[in-house]
Amino acid sequence: MNAKRYLALALLSSALWGVTYPLTYIALRLTNAVWLITLTYLITVLILTPYVFLRGLHTRSLMWGLLLSLINYPMVYLYTVFSGDMGGFASFLSSLYIVPLIIIEYFRTRRLNLRYLSSSALMLLGLYALYGVENQGMILLALPLLILNLAYLIYLEFLGDYDEASLMLGQSVGTLALSMAWVKYMDYPMVITPWVISYSIALSLLNTMANILYVMAIRRVGTVSTSLASSMEITTSMVVSIPIEPLPPNYIAWILLILSLMVLLLPAINPFSDGCDLGMELQEDVDINWQHIDEPGMISLPSVDVFHGGGSVI
């Protein structure tokens, strides 16, 4: 499967996550965030366990997933609370991490992709136009989400080779254990009804598929490309939320969000593209490294190293 198809998986993952925002918003009218997370991850563990053991458990990936749950649980808790309290503004808060992610990518590879910068700027401007103007005092709430999102992506970036399903099982088991411990410590009242269970099943299925597709995409196209697909997550969230929250009548914001996706996908939809990243960069794609040869009579010649940088080839 080439990089373009993995970018499509990132978009599908984002679309699935987009559906979870309105579902979470409705579910939190029936129960509290902690019990919703606990039920959702209990169902996720029940779904993933037989699947992982039938296809073969990767023990090391399972352990990495358990460690990842230390980041995942507080992040999921904040997402859940924000989705219930602030609706669409939660999507703006959850997207701010893309800016420091691009900065980190630049210091890591010494390449600054103008297509990524343009896409992220358009996305954040569009989201701010939709939600940020009315909620400026709450933007500081993005800081813990920003830190957790960065930590999560950096952790995945440096894991190396892993099995996606085993990793997600470990993450789900760890998140479930932390959620159950929090329920017991805080003594939250149990609020479980058939409707709550139904919403938990739906959230579990959507999150499981989205998470596996997400980590697959990160391994193949890199963290920045995968994260910029969140424009699709936001758009899907707002469209699916129409029955409970009418679309904001801000046409400029919608145009900015659509342009954000078009800029990101431009090389993938270009029929004349051979699959290379066509985005302009501040540094040339040819990095010349001088090799000094000490043998008598030999002249030092430059060796040309053509690189594509951190999974950014679309």
Side-chain angles (χ1 to χ4, degrees), residues 58-66 161-164 166-167 170:
H58 192 268
T59 307
R60 186 170 57 179
S61 297
L62 181 75
M63 299 304 296
W64 285 338
L66 288 170
D161 189 30
Y162 55 83
D163 176 69
E164 291 90 354
S166 297
L167 183 78

Side-chain angles (χ1 to χ4, degrees), residues 21 23 56 70 97 229 231 267 280:
Y21 281 100
L23 289 179
L70 297 174
Y97 73 94
S231 295
M280 296 176 61

